[in-house]
Amino acid sequence: MNHNHGHHAASTAGAPPAPTHDHHHGHKGAEAAVAAPAVQRLDLPVSGMSCASCANMIERALAKAPGVSGANVNFATKTATVHYDAAATSPAKLVETVRDVGYEAKLPSPRRPAAGANVAHSSHHDHSHHGTGGDEHAEHMHVNADEQRTLLWKVIVGTVLSIPVLVIAMSHGAIEALNKPWINWLQLALTTPVMFWCGAQFFRSAWKGLKHFRANMDSLVAMGTGAAYLYSVAATIWPGFFAAAQVNDGMQHGAPMVPVYYEAAAAIIVLILVGKLLEAKATGRTGAAIQRLLGLQARTARVIRAGVEQDIPVEQVLVGDAVIVRPGEKIPVDGRIENGSTSVDESMLTGESVPVEKHAGDPVFGATINGTGAIRFTATKVGEDTALQQIVRLVQEAQGSKAPIARLADRISGVFTPAVLVIAAVTFVVWFAISPPEIRLNMALLTSVSVLIIACPCALGLATPTAIMVGTGRGAEHGILIKGGEALETAHKLSAIILDKTGTITRGKPALTDVRVLPGFDEPSFLRLVASAERRSEHPLADAIVRGTAERGIQLSEPSSFNAVVGHGIEATVDGHSVLAGKRQLLAQRGIDTAPLEPIAKELAAAGKTPMYAAIDGKAAGLVAVADPIKPSSRAAIARLQGMGLRVAMITGDNAHTAGAVAAQVGLPPELVFAEVLPEHKAEHVRKLQSQGLAVGMVGDGINDAPALAQADVGLAMGTGTDVAIEAADITILSGDLNAIPESIALSRATMRTIRQNLFWAFIYNVVGIPIAAGVLYPATGWLLSPIIASGAMAFSSVSVVLNSLRLRRTPLGTGS
């Protein structure tokens, strides 16, 4: 019936993604044959990482390990991907390398070879050590869920314990009931669990960094909160000693009352844990795409063994098995049809909505859905060699190859933390040397602790997460779901956008577009007869014709006879008229002259439409055309993206003719149209643009887009598409409206502007406050920045950062500024 489309789909989908050694070994062509036995890939799950600089530390250690040719640690997926020489090192040694740096790694479960694979085939999978099976991903998701639960409990406990401490601190002696000698001991009791249970991870991470002479965000948190806590503990135990410094000589109930800073320590830890919890929720979804892909696979297969039909688990299917698939069933593995004809829904592989006609000798792929006919095929690829499993691997590898974004705050803290430590140490030494002997220790302690407290990164810790929280919330109001801060951070850098055609630029569902009749035929009557004949057909094009006729208000009749000619069309009797509809060959076989219809068919095909020939009572009568219509918003959205300075390209598995017609309608230049692209090659087109130094965004809606979405710097999925595409993407457009793509980029640019402003406000207090806390003004003015003022400045910087982030709520998303 669908000649053009069917032929194309069979040709493009006809070759499944061939297993390549490139992904395993990083070599190509002849080199692969030489290097394959030695260079292997290992994906190690790593735990204990708390920031991007942790990932960098592990990556550097692995890269220096003997026998390692390349290492990449992905902070989002908590995975270290290592290419290594098996003759020089082993997976166990690489695990030890990670442990030596202070983090935990474990060997993944070895791959189970596909049942029935030969020995050589099995060894290929065994030496590759990285599991792509469902068990591995289920385990990863379980670990992330446990991490989220632990963080949630820490946030709850920390909040409950911190609130009374904050109330006591903010009262500043105004509440008489709180002016008691034991009040500091109560704060100590409430703050200690927050420090040593809720905040334990920061101190562990800081200690690991210290052992390797590296500072990270956690070093700042541990240093500032530790200084505030230890100073407060000392002031609680020995109040007289601190009062002697005459910085605060107040007396309450006969006991000297000195300032304590428990609230600073507790509040900072809780706030940063909230940020960690939000981050864990965002990154926890990365494994879900692969889980859903694996869920598409058929569970059982009907095979013929020893002449007997039997249902067996899909894992037990062997290469060469004869497999039976009935109408409406899922095809279990890849193979080649021996007998039978059918149409197969391959949209999960090709993204194209029109089913592909299949006959003896044609290939079929696991997890695609059989349509109208029963078929028998020979299994050619099973287990991890199937097209579906290779898409799973491509998604996993694209996710694993993403370098973690080194957050600006982490980079700054790498310099800022050692600088603060040096300033605090110098402050202590100078004041100890120049102060009178009776107060030298007190002055040295107070000034150096003030330096550490004012340097505590409360505002720095809030600068990025608050802007990202408000930015993602703002996006959600506009139907733009942003998976995490990385996507929001990266989208502002995009310089190229690749748009999938089907379901992104177009609606993704065939619709009736044209009805053309020859002289002597009436258009409404012609359409009524053709649509009435088609209503018995299960073909999606038939469904489009029936729907389109109903939308035109034409009443249909019930055919008195009906016959589907598989792969060609249908014949039926409607209201006493014989109706023939389908491919040109069907009419030609019945001796009907189609010459008058040829020019109209060519004109419709040139516009990217699929023409269907129809004859009534043995005479050529006219054509109906079906196409995937362009969304009304597509042309304007593409113009907006081009106006924002982005290079906009289109990619499709469809034929070049249709692709060119669509591109012309939406204003895309021919050189940026990639047609007849197989699923696994979509990710290659993304890589090609990335190799030119472009930051690439990929927009798609089908399972076949998932590897490209994961490979892109930012993957954007249309929410009207498949769950797998949505899970693999960084940003989901709920409405399916292409205008949301320029809006999401505009939002990213506004958010990044806000983050830079926040970092300025977070640091201006440190830059001004640290010299005053160090006592630079004391000799001339007698001013010392007491820790109370230090924590006040810190609070004010935090408030200014939050208020600045809230301004994002009013950001207009209509421009790309």
Side-chain angles (χ1 to χ4, degrees):
M1 190 154 113
N2 169 19
H3 174 64
N4 295 342
H5 224 110
H7 173 75
H8 157 67
S11 66
T12 56
T20 63
H21 295 286
D22 299 350
H23 294 291
H24 287 281
H25 310 302
H27 295 272
K28 291 190 177 178
E31 294 173 48
V34 179
V39 181
Q40 292 169 21
R41 171 193 165 112
L42 175 68
D43 283 346
L44 281 177
V46 179
S47 55
M49 292 192 290
S50 59
C51 63
S53 52
C54 298
N56 295 338
M57 199 185 298
I58 299 166
E59 195 172 287
R60 281 194 292 267
L62 284 168
K64 289 178 190 168
V68 172
S69 57
N72 173 56
V73 180
N74 188 315
F75 176 57
T77 56
K78 305 286 190 286
T79 306
T81 301
V82 190
H83 292 273
Y84 67 99
D85 182 346
T89 188
S90 68
K93 286 179 184 171
L94 295 171
V95 167
E96 279 307 309
T97 302
V98 175
R99 287 178 179 160
D100 288 345
V101 191
Y103 298 87
E104 193 54 46
K106 61 175 183 175
L107 286 173
S109 314
R111 281 183 167 197
R112 289 193 299 271
N118 60 37
V119 175
H121 181 78
S122 301
S123 67
H124 164 68
H125 287 301
D126 285 340
H127 78 233
S128 177
H129 290 294
H130 79 292
T132 51
D135 296 345
E136 200 64 48
H137 296 291
E139 187 181 339
H140 173 80
M141 293 177 79
H142 177 68
V143 168
N144 187 272
D146 287 347
E147 181 190 346
Q148 285 187 40
R149 267 195 298 276
T150 305
L151 278 170
L152 181 60
W153 273 112
K154 287 184 174 183
V155 168
I156 292 168
V157 170
T159 303
V160 168
L161 294 175
S162 299
I163 286 171
V165 180
L166 283 167
V167 169
I168 293 165
M170 290 166 69
S171 69
H172 295 296
I175 303 170
E176 186 58 37
L178 299 179
N179 291 336
K180 305 292 182 190
W182 47 262
I183 203 71
N184 287 356
W185 290 98
L186 174 63
Q187 292 186 75
L188 172 60
L190 291 168
T191 306
T192 300
V194 179
M195 291 291 291
F196 295 108
W197 182 65
C198 301
Q201 67 198 71
F202 302 119
F203 293 96
R204 275 198 299 269
S205 173
W207 173 242
K208 286 171 192 169
L210 186 63
K211 283 196 296 185
H212 294 87
F213 305 104
R214 291 192 184 97
N216 55 29
M217 188 74 180
D218 291 342
S219 307
L220 276 176
V221 175
M223 196 172 65
T225 56
Y229 177 79
L230 290 173
Y231 171 84
S232 302
V233 169
T236 302
I237 298 171
W238 301 290
F241 173 81
F242 288 86
Q246 296 175 350
V247 173
N248 184 317
D249 56 1
M251 297 281 288
Q252 293 287 344
H253 302 280
M257 295 292 286
V258 294
V260 288
Y261 310 103
Y262 292 115
E263 84 287 351
I268 288 164
I269 283 173
V270 173
L271 283 167
I272 292 172
L273 282 173
V274 169
K276 298 278 182 196
L277 178 61
L278 292 170
E279 185 175 50
K281 281 183 182 292
T283 57
R285 296 178 64 193
T286 52
I290 293 169
Q291 283 292 103
R292 286 181 191 261
L293 278 170
L294 291 164
L296 291 169
Q297 195 168 329
R299 297 280 173 265
T300 60
R302 188 176 298 109
V303 300
I304 299 173
R305 287 185 182 167
V308 180
E309 249 188 59
Q310 52 184 293
D311 284 350
I312 61 169
V314 74
E315 294 83 11
Q316 293 176 19
V317 179
L318 308 178
V319 171
D321 268 342
V323 185
I324 303 285
V325 185
R326 295 187 180 130
E329 291 182 340
K330 205 174 263 189
I331 293 169
V333 294
D334 294 6
R336 197 163 291 280
I337 297 176
E338 295 301 320
N339 56 53
S341 295
T342 187
S343 63
V344 179
D345 178 359
E346 291 187 343
S347 58
M348 57 78 62
L349 276 178
T350 64
E352 296 305 320
S353 51
V354 179
V356 183
E357 305 294 346
K358 297 282 185 177
H359 308 282
D362 288 339
V364 289
F365 306 109
T368 58
I369 297 166
N370 185 28
T372 49
I375 55 168
R376 170 176 164 160
F377 71 89
T378 301
T380 55
K381 289 184 180 169
V382 299
E384 293 180 343
D385 290 336
T386 62
L388 174 71
Q389 286 286 353
Q390 290 184 64
I391 287 181
V392 168
R393 196 191 71 227
L394 286 166
V395 173
Q396 186 192 37
E397 290 184 357
Q399 287 182 340
S401 67
K402 264 186 187 170
I405 294 169
R407 284 176 169 72
L408 188 54
D410 275 321
R411 290 204 297 273
I412 293 167
S413 67
V415 177
F416 184 63
T417 306
V420 169
L421 281 170
V422 168
I423 293 167
V426 168
T427 301
F428 184 93
V429 170
V430 169
W431 281 109
F432 192 84
I434 66 172
S435 297
E438 66 275 12
I439 62 163
R440 61 164 50 149
L441 182 60
N442 312 54
M443 278 295 287
L445 269 174
L446 279 164
T447 49
S448 56
V449 166
S450 290
V451 166
L452 290 176
I453 288 175
I454 191 114
C456 193
C458 194
L460 180 59
L462 290 169
T464 305
T466 54
I468 285 171
M469 281 169 67
V470 178
T472 50
R474 173 82 169 142
E477 289 169 13
H478 285 71
I480 302 165
L481 291 188
I482 299 160
K483 190 177 280 186
E486 284 197 6
L488 200 59
E489 232 174 280
T490 313
H492 86 287
K493 300 176 190 168
L494 292 181
S495 47
I497 287 270
I498 301 178
L499 304 171
D500 181 52
K501 176 181 77 71
T502 308
T504 301
I505 293 175
T506 65
R507 291 188 187 277
K509 193 173 184 183
L512 178 64
T513 58
D514 295 82
V515 181
R516 303 284 189 88
V517 293
L518 293 177
F521 291 93
D522 168 56
E523 188 178 303
S525 304
F526 166 78
L527 185 57
R528 185 179 67 81
L529 289 173
V530 172
S532 297
E534 291 284 6
R535 70 189 300 182
R536 287 273 195 93
S537 173
E538 294 176 5
H539 204 288
L541 292 190
D543 179 55
I545 293 163
V546 172
R547 270 189 293 108
T549 307
E551 285 163 11
R552 286 164 167 79
I554 296 171
Q555 295 294 316
L556 301 185
S557 302
E558 190 62 38
S560 54
S561 72
F562 174 85
N563 177 43
V565 184
V566 177
H568 288 285
I570 56 119
E571 53 187 344
T573 305
V574 181
D575 296 342
H577 297 281
S578 73
V579 180
L580 202 61
K583 293 181 179 175
R584 184 184 59 79
Q585 294 94 314
L586 178 64
L587 274 66
Q589 283 168 12
R590 304 297 164 92
I592 297 167
D593 180 19
T594 59
L597 295 174
E598 295 300 329
I600 310 170
K602 279 182 182 165
E603 177 200 327
L604 293 168
K609 297 168 183 176
T610 302
M612 192 182 78
Y613 293 74
I616 294 169
D617 297 327
K619 283 181 67 181
L623 291 162
V624 288
V626 173
D628 184 2
I630 290 166
K631 292 177 184 174
S633 60
S634 293
R635 187 178 179 92
I638 288 168
R640 280 178 67 187
L641 287 166
Q642 291 166 333
M644 292 167 76
L646 281 90
R647 188 187 299 186
V648 185
M650 182 179 84
I651 197 164
T652 180
D654 212 338
N655 61 64
H657 200 80
T658 304
V662 170
Q665 289 178 63
V666 295
L668 287 174
E671 67 272 14
L672 289 176
V673 177
F674 311 123
E676 298 179 26
V677 180
L678 291 173
E680 73 276 19
H681 295 153
K682 287 189 176 181
E684 284 176 23
H685 278 279
V686 174
R687 276 194 290 273
K688 206 175 287 179
L689 286 177
Q690 287 171 328
S691 69
Q692 295 169 23
L694 297 170
V696 181
M698 170 73 197
V699 188
D701 77 323
I703 290 163
N704 63 302
D705 300 323
L709 289 169
Q711 174 65 39
D713 295 278
V714 178
L716 300 103
M718 305 312 263
T720 47
T722 62
D723 286 349
V724 174
I726 291 165
E727 293 290 357
D730 302 298
I731 298 174
T732 300
I733 309 303
L734 288 180
S735 63
D737 184 343
L738 211 54
N739 271 313
I741 305 296
E743 285 178 3
S744 59
I745 294 170
L747 178 64
S748 169
R749 291 178 179 181
T751 305
M752 284 310 295
R753 245 195 333 270
T754 302
I755 289 172
R756 291 191 196 101
Q757 290 163 357
N758 284 353
L759 290 170
F760 169 79
W761 286 112
F763 276 103
I764 195 72
Y765 296 99
N766 296 129
V767 170
V768 173
I770 287 174
I772 300 172
V776 169
L777 301 179
Y778 185 75
T781 63
W783 291 354
L784 270 181
L785 183 65
S786 79
I788 285 183
I789 296 169
S791 42
M794 204 168 58
F796 185 59
S797 71
S798 302
V799 169
S800 65
V801 159
V802 173
L803 291 175
N804 190 45
S805 295
L806 290 173
R807 287 172 55 242
L808 271 171
R809 286 181 178 173
R810 298 190 297 278
T811 301
L813 297 185
T815 63
S817 60

